[in-house]
Amino acid sequence: MILSSNLTQKTFWLNFIGIYLLLLAVLGFLISSWYSLKSTQALELIKLNQSQVVSHAKNIMLEEYESMLSDLLTLASLPLHSHSQNITSEHRFRQDLASTYLVLSQTRTRYDQIRYLDKEGMEKVRVDYNNGNPKIIPQSQLQNKQNRYYFQDINRLSSEEIYISRFDLNIEQGKIEQPYKPIIRIGKALFNERGQRQGILLLNYFGQTLFNKIDRLSSTKPSQLMIVDQMGYWLKHPNPDMEWGFMFKDKQNQTFATAHPKLWQTLLTRRSGQIKTSQGLYTFDSIFPLESKVISELGHYQFQDKKFSTQANLKDYQWLLISFTPKAAFTQKLKNQLQNMASLLIGIIVLMGGIAFLFASNRHQKQLLQQKARYLAYHDSLTGLYNRYALTQTEGQHNLLTNKSGNDSYSVFFLDLDGFKPINDTYGHQVGDQVLQTIASRLKNTVRKEDIVVRVGGDEFAIITHHTVDRVAIQMFGDRLIKAIEKPIQLEDKTLHLGTSIGVASYPQDADTLNQLIDLADAAMYKAKKSGKGKLCFV
């Protein structure tokens, strides 16, 4: 019988282990398949999201670019620019131009400078945006820009060509302006009605306008949206120190191309797409400012018949929009592959521990949430005291009186603060809340450990004291409460004074239930208020 019993037990355990291992193997396969599917789906979702973000950012850049080109052409076409000037009309000419430029600066709000330069490079008219307060620059402050690259480039153009500068930082008086001002300069050579070259029109587009619009895109973190030029220099980067490397001698090698040489070569050969590397997902698209077909692809303006030019040393001019999503942002596929039965057994044991941990964690979290919900149901969020629900509802009363036997005596003190409303009205609810928190702290420090303090609502409090029904003891306890509350309250530079009126009812002398005692103590409190405040009254 013992052997038979042993065999039965052995068979049971063998069957149990066999079924258990089989079920765990099936479960492991299902979990592995689900995890792989979810990983793939998560990656595809991120790809779709980042494609939309980059596409939206590209549309924003194209809209801004097309709009500034339209402003340039509209402004350049004004008859005012094509009229020949003489000595007597030059002053009026400058005034009319300045007024026109000022209106454009005020209405567009995206041009840091609007300038007219003569054919020698001297600024004749200049309007600065001036941080939202456009102003006409006095003639005495105008500068000669003959040696600046953009003047030399534009001054060589024909009447049909539009000049687009490199996206760089503004330079004033030979130095990079502080704080940095990202600028795109667009311009045209101007000719009079006889076809004689007379100067250039130049708009300095404030690049921060574009960056602010792109920043407002709802790009999902931790994805990073960057703008890179054709040389691989960052024009926009989450870390500002990485930007505008070509403007500084010590940052000439600080480029995307240097940081990711192989990836950079791939980006240059493809105008748009997505590339997944060991670091994460790169989503990119390109804008070619000198290609009229690309510029007109939104359809708002038509530039197919326009010729575009830029700096002589600038080849393959383009802007690349790059969104980078780190590898940690999307779910990775399972790394551990089952190789043999031993590793499978270890994997099953670990998986079981993980599942047990997950279930335990889930249950623990639910218990914490239930405990928190229960706490919030019976406690005041401002003071941490029990609340009115705990005091008046049956379940709450059971919690308050859980340590009291049916024959134990107790008293209910009902307190109403005297002088709280003027403080709340004078200094506001924030100060009022601080006062209530101070009073609550004083009450807790005044009562015994077994006593219960409740914030009934507003400036009303209740205290339940066990085995305190003797009137002398009640009066002494009430006096301690009054003195504690009457102590000055110092909040920053304000010294505040409060008092309290207290009503008391006791069990079993005055009533049989807690609700009855609360009503009686409340009525006694009002009697104390009517009798002069700052007092304790019995039922």
Side-chain angles (χ1 to χ4, degrees), residues 374-414:
R374 188 176 185 83
Y375 178 86
L376 292 176
Y378 294 115
H379 289 79
D380 175 54
S381 59
L382 177 65
T383 63
L385 301 176
Y386 283 104
N387 59 18
R388 187 183 190 90
Y389 182 84
L391 184 66
T392 58
Q393 300 300 313
T394 302
E395 185 179 354
Q397 292 176 355
H398 175 74
N399 291 331
L400 292 180
L401 304 177
T402 184
N403 294 324
K404 187 189 78 66
S405 66
N407 297 323
D408 285 346
S409 59
Y410 64 94
S411 295
V412 175
F413 291 72
F414 204 97

Side-chain angles (χ1 to χ4, degrees), residues 159-210:
S159 60
E160 300 300 320
E161 292 180 282
I162 299 174
Y163 177 81
I164 313 297
S165 78
R166 186 175 192 174
F167 208 155
D168 60 14
L169 299 177
N170 194 46
I171 295 178
E172 290 293 338
Q173 304 294 343
K175 296 181 179 179
I176 296 175
E177 186 175 356
Q178 299 286 343
Y180 296 157
K181 275 188 179 179
I183 294 293
I184 302 175
R185 300 167 189 84
I186 61 172
K188 272 184 63 65
L190 299 176
F191 299 80
N192 62 23
E193 62 272 12
R194 293 190 297 274
Q196 298 171 329
R197 188 181 301 273
Q198 61 182 36
I200 69 169
L201 172 64
L202 189 65
L203 306 184
N204 282 18
Y205 174 79
F206 187 35
Q208 194 61 45
T209 303
L210 172 64

Side-chain angles (χ1 to χ4, degrees), residues 326-425:
K327 186 177 181 181
F330 42 85
T331 307
Q332 301 180 28
K333 293 183 179 180
L334 294 175
K335 296 181 178 180
N336 300 325
Q337 300 295 326
L338 300 178
Q339 297 177 353
N340 49 54
M341 289 300 296
S343 60
L344 176 60
L345 182 58
I346 294 173
I348 290 172
I349 294 173
V350 172
L351 181 62
M352 281 298 299
I355 292 175
F357 176 79
L358 289 176
F359 273 105
S361 298
N362 184 51
R363 183 170 183 179
H364 180 60
Q365 289 298 323
K366 287 182 179 180
Q367 289 174 339
L368 288 178
L369 290 174
Q370 291 171 352
Q371 184 178 356
K372 184 177 180 181
R374 188 176 185 83
Y375 178 86
L376 292 176
Y378 294 115
H379 289 79
D380 175 54
S381 59
L382 177 65
T383 63
L385 301 176
Y386 283 104
N387 59 18
R388 187 183 190 90
Y389 182 84
L391 184 66
T392 58
Q393 300 300 313
T394 302
E395 185 179 354
Q397 292 176 355
H398 175 74
N399 291 331
L400 292 180
L401 304 177
T402 184
N403 294 324
K404 187 189 78 66
S405 66
N407 297 323
D408 285 346
S409 59
Y410 64 94
S411 295
V412 175
F413 291 72
F414 204 97
L415 294 75
D416 184 86
L417 300 181
D418 298 329
F420 176 75
K421 188 176 186 302
I423 292 175
N424 209 36
D425 293 342

